Amino acid sequence: KILGIEHIGIAISSHGSGDKFWNLALGLKHRNTETVEDQKVKTDIYETGGGKIELLEAIGTDSPVAKFIAKRGTGIHHLCLEVDNIKLAIKELINNNIKMIDHEPRVGAEGYLVAFIHPHSTGGVLVELAEKQK
């Protein structure tokens, strides 16, 4: 079951580059900055009142975000949907022949369990599923 849009991930070239817009111009509250080591990414998370904006900066040249920027440039990287049961969601997607990047959930930013759906199955959009740890 989809609970809503959890966040929109935006690939940026360096932290601080989006601060003026997201925080100062729009007045969005900065929630936190976090490094997700296994994805080699540093995140800045902003509250919108109905989901979040997650700025993603690569911390290694072999980071998925670095590869994305090299291929497509900065901009929207992924859409994250919050689900109530990520293991069940993954199973249902695989049973419906949806190509998954992650077949098992892993821990992402803010301690969420996350899994990514391959863009080939979504019309070209990288989609992340996230389940909030209880």
Side-chain angles (χ1 to χ4, degrees):
K1 177 181 170 190
I2 303 287
L3 302 177
I5 295 174
E6 207 293 314
H7 69 264
I8 296 171
I10 301 173
I12 60 170
S13 56
S14 66
H15 276 303
S17 62
D19 291 350
K20 283 186 178 178
F21 178 72
W22 299 106
N23 186 275
L24 300 175
L26 294 185
L28 297 180
K29 180 180 178 235
H30 182 258
R31 182 176 176 134
N32 69 336
T33 299
E34 181 179 346
T35 299
V36 181
E37 293 292 339
D38 76 325
Q39 290 295 300
K40 299 178 182 168
V41 68
K42 181 177 172 188
T43 66
D44 263 338
I45 299 172
Y46 291 87
E47 292 286 346
T48 70
K52 296 175 273 192
I53 300 292
E54 185 178 85
L55 303 182
L56 308 162
E57 178 187 10
I59 57 172
T61 56
D62 57 342
S63 161
V65 171
K67 292 174 186 175
F68 176 89
I69 290 172
K71 187 175 181 180
R72 297 194 175 118
T74 58
I76 294 178
H77 179 262
H78 69 272
L79 170 68
C80 179
L81 300 172
E82 186 174 2
V83 296
D84 63 348
N85 184 326
I86 195 164
K87 287 185 178 186
L88 182 60
I90 293 169
K91 183 179 177 183
E92 288 178 3
L93 290 167
I94 290 171
N95 287 342
N96 282 288
N97 298 315
I98 301 299
K99 185 175 181 182
M100 299 294 299
I101 293 172
D102 299 297
H103 290 255
E104 292 292 327
R106 55 188 158 86
V107 178
E110 299 186 294
Y112 280 76
L113 287 179
V114 301
F116 285 87
I117 303 168
H118 199 285
H120 288 148
S121 291
T122 65
V125 177
L126 180 62
V127 176
E128 178 182 18
L129 302 176
E131 178 185 342
K132 188 172 188 170
Q133 294 293 308
K134 295 168 176 100

